[in-house]
């Protein structure tokens, strides 16, 4: 039972990446649009004060903010696509139709039952407008529920076919036929059930908010501790996009979730200071500063003869973490050889967020320095207190460096540059990797053709027949396999450049960094050839 629950959670976790990967782009574009309408920036750069650039900025930010009020629909479609076993595009389209059916069915039932609020304002009533239809305020949870339900029905009935005159009602059309009564019944049931969940979520949100520094520490530490399982975004997503992360009225519109709130506040000139709920997205402190200190400590503690190799590995990893907020290459460099360091990393990450809260910082810093500068500098110090964020970051850098250096020396951890010759913990620099590949893969290069490393990866995963599904997130190739014991983690790390491999039952995660999308495409292409 425990294994099945973990597998279901990991599958749901992978499905959530479809909407989650897109939403940060929206924030960056909102910040970019704000550059063209920022009064302070216009004082410094007068040429921006013209109807063309200000109009462009207004249109860009105004159009993107509409996404924040329709997150339920976005998650419904994304989750359905992610959980569908086949015909994923059809599953997404069916989920869109199902979403429309559900909100209108709930509205009609609430109207018949006489529970629709008829006042001018819906704030505080537990009801809201969704696509112009008044329903219970379920926020992003509505999308999660409908995406899951649609995927279940889709996977169960997508292969159903009929003969004769009823043949046209098979497949995807039958899925929608079954889905309609399911969603209608669900809308009726949730009309009675959801208020209890709504009360529980509000109570949990209040408990977390009132727990102060402890709640923030627990949040920050758990978000990092779950990195190896790939379930870490199940911790932060509810805080970013639901009422758990706060509720605020901005420009006459009510927004739920830390990220939704500060996106709206960015473009509202009447907001003089960002909401304190921005703390739930302050995860960049360890990414931009803390792990850089860890890298410096690992370099200083490397054996003298290995410092050159350690530098070649650590500098690219540190730069990627600092600039883009991609941390897995660093984290997996010490996760398996020194788990204690990973626990310390999680603790220090949580403490960094606590300092963010105690210093009353309002800066936006979920990822790397590019995001940090684009979001905060144009908004100004008064609105974000961003210099204090830098101060906390420097403190985090010092704490990571001191802790990692002390623990590596005390326990003789085999971190980068300290491994025994030929030991399993050995990692390869880019130069080492190229040299090794030229010797080991040259004989098969003609066979590989345009597939790059895909044949080696597939073979290390137990062959094409052992692979059931292939997806990816920001930095990881995520797979499910028939027989996990066939996966050769050493080959994946030493011959394909993976910085880490996580095997949990039938779920396999291979960490490749930012190039993972190209790797996933190559693997899919190669698997297609193998199965044809």
């Amino acid at each position: 039972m425990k294994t099945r629950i973990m597998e279901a959670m990991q599958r749901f976790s992978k499905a959530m990446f479809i909407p989650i990967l897109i939403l940060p782009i929206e924030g960056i574009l909102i910040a970019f649009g704000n550059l063209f309408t920022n009064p302070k920036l216009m004082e410094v750069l007068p040429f921006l004060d013209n109807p063309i650039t200000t109009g462009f900025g207004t249109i860009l930010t105004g159009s993107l903010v509409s996404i924040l009020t329709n997150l339920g629909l976005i998650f419904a479609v994304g989750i359905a696509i992610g959980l569908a076993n086949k015909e994923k595009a059809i599953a997404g389209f069916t989920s869109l139709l199902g979403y429309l059916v559900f909100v209108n069915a709930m509205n009609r039932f609430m109207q018949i039952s006489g529970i629709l609020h008829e006042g001018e304002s819906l704030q505080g009533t537990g009801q809201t407008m969704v696509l112009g239809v008044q329903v219970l305020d379920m926020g992003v949870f509505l999308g999660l529920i409908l995406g899951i339900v649609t995927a279940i029905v889709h996977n169960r009935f997508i292969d159903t076919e009929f003969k004769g005159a009823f043949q046209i009602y098979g497949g995807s059309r039958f899925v929608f036929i079954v889905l309609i009564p399911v969603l209608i019944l669900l809308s009726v049931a949730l009309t009675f059930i959801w208020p209890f969940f709504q009360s529980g979520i509000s109570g949990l949100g209040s408990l977390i908010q009132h727990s102060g520094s402890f709640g923030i520490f627990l949040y920050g530490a758990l978000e990092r501790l779950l990195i190896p399982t790939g379930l870490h975004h199940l911790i932060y997503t509810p805080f970013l996009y639901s009422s758990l992360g706060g509720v605020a009225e901005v420009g006459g519109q009510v927004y739920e979730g830390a990220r939704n709130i500060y996106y709206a506040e960015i473009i509202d000139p009447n907001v003089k200071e960002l909401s304190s709920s921005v703390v739930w997205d302050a995860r960049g402190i360890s990414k931009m500063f803390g792990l850089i200190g860890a890298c410096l400590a690992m370099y200083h503690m490397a054996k003298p003869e290995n410092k050159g190799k350690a530098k070649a590995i650590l500098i690219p990893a540190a730069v990627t973490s600092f600039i883009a907020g991609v941390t897995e290459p660093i984290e997996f460099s010490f996760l398996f050889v020194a788990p204690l360091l990973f626990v310390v990393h999680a603790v220090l990450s949580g403490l960094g967020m606590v300092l963010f809260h105690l210093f009353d910082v309002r800066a936006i810093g979920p990822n790397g320095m590019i995001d940090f500068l684009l979001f905060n500098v144009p908004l100004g110090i008064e609105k974000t207190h961003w210099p204090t964020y830098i101060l906390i970051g420097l403190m985090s850098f010092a704490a990571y460096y001191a802790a990692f250096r002390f623990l590596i020396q005390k326990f003789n951890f085999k971190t980068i540059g300290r491994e025994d010759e030929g030991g399993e913990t050995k990692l390869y620099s880019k130069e080492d990797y190229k040299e090794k590949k030229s010797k080991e893969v040259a004989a098969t290069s003609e066979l590989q053709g345009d597939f790059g490393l895909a044949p080696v990866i597939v073979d290390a995963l137990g062959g094409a027949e052992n692979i059931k599904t292939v997806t990816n997130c920001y930095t990881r190739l995520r797979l499910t396999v028939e027989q996990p014991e066939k996966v050769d983690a050493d080959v994946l790390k030493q011959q394909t450049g993976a910085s880490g491999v996580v095997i949990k039952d039938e779920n396999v995660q291979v960490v490749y960094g930012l190039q993972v999308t190209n790797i996933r495409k190559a693997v899919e292409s190669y698997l297609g050839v193998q199965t044809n």
Side-chain angles (χ1 to χ4, degrees), residues 457-470 479-488 503 505-508 527 531:
I457 294 172
V458 170
D459 185 61
L461 291 167
E465 68 282 355
N466 194 44
I467 300 173
K468 296 196 291 186
T469 64
V470 182
L479 312 103
T480 54
V481 297
E482 294 282 357
Q483 301 179 58
E485 63 273 10
K486 289 187 175 182
V487 177
D488 193 329
I503 303 174
D505 300 320
E506 295 182 352
N507 295 279
V508 179
L527 288 174
T531 56

Side-chain angles (χ1 to χ4, degrees), residues 108 110 209 328 347 402:
R108 296 296 189 275
M110 291 174 66
Q209 294 289 345
E328 277 92 339
V347 170

Side-chain angles (χ1 to χ4, degrees), residues 203-417:
L204 179 60
S206 298
L207 177 63
I208 293 171
Q209 294 289 345
H210 286 90
S211 62
S213 297
F214 176 74
I216 293 170
F217 167 77
L218 194 61
Y219 167 86
L222 282 176
E223 191 270 331
R224 288 292 92 186
L225 280 175
L226 289 176
I227 282 284
T229 68
L231 300 177
H232 53 293
H233 52 277
L234 294 184
I235 295 293
Y236 68 74
T237 299
F239 286 86
L240 300 187
Y241 301 111
S242 79
S243 57
L244 284 177
V247 179
E249 182 176 351
V250 183
Q253 175 73 44
V254 176
Y255 295 93
E256 296 181 349
R259 186 168 286 178
N260 293 336
I261 292 170
Y262 72 68
Y263 280 173
E265 291 176 334
I266 285 174
I267 62 175
D268 191 333
N270 297 318
V271 175
K272 304 304 180 184
E273 185 181 65
L274 297 183
S275 298
S276 59
S277 60
V278 74
V279 67
W280 303 115
D281 212 9
R283 297 167 292 120
I285 295 174
S286 63
K287 299 177 182 181
M288 286 188 284
F289 300 98
L291 286 174
I292 311 305
C295 285
L296 183 61
M298 287 189 283
Y299 170 72
H300 282 164
M301 295 308 297
K303 296 177 181 179
E305 65 272 20
N306 291 333
K307 282 188 179 292
K309 181 187 70 175
K311 183 190 297 184
I313 296 173
L314 290 171
I315 289 180
V319 170
T320 302
S321 179
F322 180 76
I323 297 296
V326 177
T327 61
E328 277 92 339
I330 299 175
E331 291 166 326
F332 277 89
S333 71
F334 59 80
L335 171 61
F336 297 108
V337 299
L340 177 60
L341 292 180
F342 195 80
V343 174
V344 171
H345 163 45
V347 170
L348 292 176
S349 180
L351 290 176
M353 295 184 67
V354 170
L355 289 178
F356 183 102
H357 169 66
L358 294 177
F359 280 75
D360 195 31
V361 183
R362 303 300 173 91
I364 301 168
N367 294 305
M369 185 56 71
I370 293 177
D371 285 2
F372 179 83
L373 294 176
L374 187 60
F375 278 115
N376 296 291
V377 175
L379 294 177
I381 296 175
E382 181 182 354
K383 196 167 184 174
T384 64
H385 313 175
W386 64 263
T388 310
Y389 186 103
I390 300 293
L391 175 61
I392 294 172
L394 294 176
M395 295 167 62
S396 178
F397 172 89
Y400 268 79
Y401 177 81
F404 270 61
R405 179 161 184 156
F406 171 77
L407 291 171
I408 290 171
Q409 185 174 36
K410 181 173 180 61
F411 295 102
N412 193 27
F413 288 137
K414 303 299 181 180
T415 51
I416 295 174

Side-chain angles (χ1 to χ4, degrees), residues 99 207 245 476:
Y99 191 90
L207 177 63
R476 307 182 191 193

Side-chain angles (χ1 to χ4, degrees), residues 10 26 30 46 64 92 102 202-203 210 248 270 309 315 473:
Q10 290 184 328
E26 173 209 7
I30 287 177
L64 289 169
F102 180 91
S202 297
H210 286 90
N270 297 318
K309 181 187 70 175
I315 289 180
C473 59

Side-chain angles (χ1 to χ4, degrees), residues 154-165:
H154 174 87
N155 291 335
R156 174 66 178 82
F157 297 104
I158 188 62
D159 292 324
T160 302
E161 298 292 346
F162 301 102
K163 296 181 179 180

